[in-house]
Every structure is written in structure tokens, then in C-alpha cells.
């Protein structure tokens, strides 16, 4: 890559998948094969039930992998049955995916709730990664990492074009500040990842289905590292 090397994020969103045994198999297969680079940040976001074991396995293996959550509570800890407070999650995670379109669609999550979650994350030293569905989205104060994930491109092999994704990224940076880092998500796999990260304004990828396979995810990390 030319000139100043940009940092690329590769984030695995496992969604509601994997037992602890399956999660540990993945960490054992992927961990030793992630290229080490100051300019590559690789994050795995398991379901809550696997967080603790995944974190432990990564620490023991000393793998260059960060751990993220797929959501967190809009509230501090207290009487909120079923919620995971950022002040406890931060034992395991350094990042949290917030406002994913699947949470908005299936669980009625609103902009107001996402804004509260972002605030909880920031207060508890968890980096918020906010998902936005279009270029016109408002990014809450303090959130400097977003993923542009158009709903039409999720989970169906029908990725947005890299050029379109770059346009949306540019627009998000123009309205929210040039220091905003924008990732692309939606049907990213080993076959198309290079075309996205080569775009000048895109800072990485958020990957669902293709991240579940240790082999595919390792390949993605290697392709990114070689195309930088
Ligand atoms: P897919 O990669 O399965 O399209 O999912 C994208 C996504 O929703 C990541 O958060």
C-alpha cells in the first residue's frame, strides 16, 4: 500500500451461533494464523455465553485477537433482568457492536436506545462500533467507529459495490468528522474483501456468515494483510 499505511479492522460478528466447544475450535484454528501487524486489528464478537472462554483462550494463546460483544445494556448495572452491563462486560471485551439492523428489526431497538448504549460503552472503556444502515445516519457523540451495513446486502451474497460503499463512507465522514473510521459490512467474504479494503475511505470490514468458518476467516485476514 502506498504512503501512510492505514489501520484496517477485520471484525467477526458470529451473531447467535457457536457453542463454547465450537468457539474454542475456531480460536485454536484462527489464532496462530493471524498475521501480526500494527496496522491490522482483528476482533471476534462471540455470543455472550462464549465470551469468557474465548477471552481466556486468546489470552493463554497470546493471539493478536481482540474480543468484542454484539450488544450491551443501555443502563448501568442494576435491576435490568436479562441485560449485560458495560461495566461487567468490559472484563472480557474492548469493543461492542451497537445498533445492528437485526436488533432494530427483531428487538425494536431505536436510535434513542443505541445512543444510551454508546454512552454506556464509552463510560466503561468499551469502544462502540455503531452500525448504520445508510449514509444519512446520525452518529452519537463520542462514537468514532461505525460500520456501514446496508440491509439489502446482509446475509445473502449480494454485497454492495465497493464504489458505493466508499461513497457512503465519504458522506458519513463529511457529516460526522474526518476522523470517523468507517467499516463496510454485508456479504463480505474471501472473494471480495480486497476490493473493499482497497477503497481509499474504508477502514475495514464487519463480517457475519463468512466469519463462522475458521478457514474462510483466516484466508480473509491473510488476503487483507497481503493487499495492504
Ligand atoms: P453477513 O456477512 O452474513 O452478510 O453479515 C453482515 C453483518 O450483519 C455483520 O454484522
Amino acid at each position: 500500500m502506498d504512503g501512510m499505511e492505514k489501520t484496517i479492522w477485520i471484525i467477526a460478528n458470529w451473531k447467535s451461533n457457536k457453542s463454547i466447544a465450537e468457539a474454542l475450535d475456531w480460536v485454536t484454528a484462527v489464532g496462530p494464523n493471524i498475521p501480526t501487524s500494527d496496522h491490522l486489528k482483528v476482533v471476534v464478537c462471540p455470543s455472550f455465553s462464549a465470551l469468557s472462554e474465548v477471552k481466556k483462550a486468546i489470552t493463554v494463546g497470546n493471539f493478536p485477537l481482540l474480543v468484542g460483544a454484539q450488544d450491551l445494556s443501555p443502563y448501568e448495572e442494576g435491576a435490568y433482568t436479562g441485560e449485560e452491563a458495560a461495566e461487567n462486560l468490559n472484563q472480557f471485551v474492548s469493543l461492542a457492536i451497537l445498533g445492528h439492523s437485526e436488533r432494530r428489526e427483531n428487538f425494536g431497538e431505536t436510535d434513542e436506545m443505541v445512543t444510551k448504549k454508546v454512552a454506556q460503552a464509552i463510560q466503561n472503556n468499551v469502544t462502540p462500533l455503531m452500525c448504520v444502515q445508510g449514509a444519512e445516519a446520525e452518529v452519537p457523540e463520542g462514537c468514532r467507529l461505525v460500520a456501514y451495513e446496508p440491509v439489502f446486502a446482509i446475509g445473502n451474497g449480494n454485497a454492495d459495490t465497493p464504489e458505493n460503499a466508499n461513497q457512503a463512507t465519504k458522506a458519513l465522514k463529511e457529516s460526522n468528522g474526518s476522523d470517523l473510521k468507517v467499516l463496510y459490512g454485508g456479504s463480505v467474504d474471501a472473494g471480495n474483501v480486497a476490493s473493499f479494503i482497497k477503497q481509499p475511505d474504508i477502514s475495514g470490514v464487519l463480517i457475519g456468515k463468512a466469519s463462522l468458518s475458521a478457514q474462510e476467516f483466516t484466508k480473509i485476514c491473510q488476503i487483507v494483510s497481503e493487499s495492504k
Side-chain angles (χ1 to χ4, degrees):
M1 189 177 203
D2 53 354
M4 288 247 299
E5 210 177 335
K6 66 176 174 181
T7 292
I8 298 287
W9 294 79
I10 307 175
I11 305 189
N13 176 8
W14 286 354
K15 306 189 178 181
S16 189
N17 290 291
K18 289 196 191 292
S19 65
I20 290 175
E22 289 165 343
L24 294 180
D25 282 348
W26 186 101
V27 172
T28 309
V30 172
N33 294 306
I34 296 176
T36 310
S37 159
D38 289 346
H39 299 282
L40 191 62
K41 285 184 189 278
V42 184
V43 187
V44 58
C45 302
S47 55
F48 287 132
S49 56
L51 272 185
S52 160
E53 290 296 321
V54 164
K55 174 69 180 172
K56 214 183 295 171
I58 289 170
T59 306
V60 170
N62 197 22
F63 300 135
L65 253 176
L66 300 167
V67 182
Q70 299 172 19
D71 187 25
L72 49 73
S73 174
Y75 303 110
E76 56 197 24
E77 74 173 1
Y80 302 104
T81 302
E83 288 296 298
E84 291 285 352
E87 61 201 289
N88 294 322
L89 271 177
N90 70 8
Q91 300 171 95
F92 313 114
V93 308
S94 48
L95 175 147
I97 298 170
L98 300 175
H100 195 284
S101 57
E102 289 157 6
R103 293 212 56 80
R104 291 179 186 267
E105 190 180 322
N106 299 310
F107 305 100
E109 203 159 286
T110 61
D111 286 346
E112 196 189 351
M113 284 157 79
V114 177
T115 299
K116 284 186 177 164
K117 291 179 180 199
V118 167
Q120 280 298 316
I122 293 170
Q123 268 171 42
N124 291 286
N125 295 319
V126 174
T127 301
L129 164 59
M130 183 177 157
C131 297
V132 302
Q133 287 73 48
E136 64 297 329
E138 273 184 39
V139 178
E141 212 181 307
C143 181
R144 298 287 79 199
L145 185 64
V146 306
Y148 162 65
E149 289 209 328
V151 174
F152 67 78
I154 294 180
N156 54 16
N158 180 29
D160 201 349
T161 65
E163 295 73 24
N164 241 6
N166 196 67
Q167 271 306 111
T169 298
K170 259 172 95 168
L172 282 160
K173 282 165 161 282
E174 271 161 25
S175 44
N176 293 282
S178 59
D179 64 325
L180 187 76
K181 300 277 181 261
V182 184
L183 318 183
Y184 168 73
S187 298
V188 174
D189 59 22
N192 63 18
V193 68
S195 63
F196 287 104
I197 63 128
K198 278 184 182 151
Q199 293 296 318
D201 299 291
I202 295 179
S203 294
V205 283
L206 177 56
I207 309 172
K209 203 187 279 174
S211 77
L212 292 174
S213 154
Q215 203 184 4
E216 176 93 1
F217 190 73
T218 302
K219 203 164 151 196
I220 289 170
C221 292
Q222 284 163 355
I223 289 168
V224 170
S225 155
E226 280 157 23
S227 30
K228 273 165 63 62

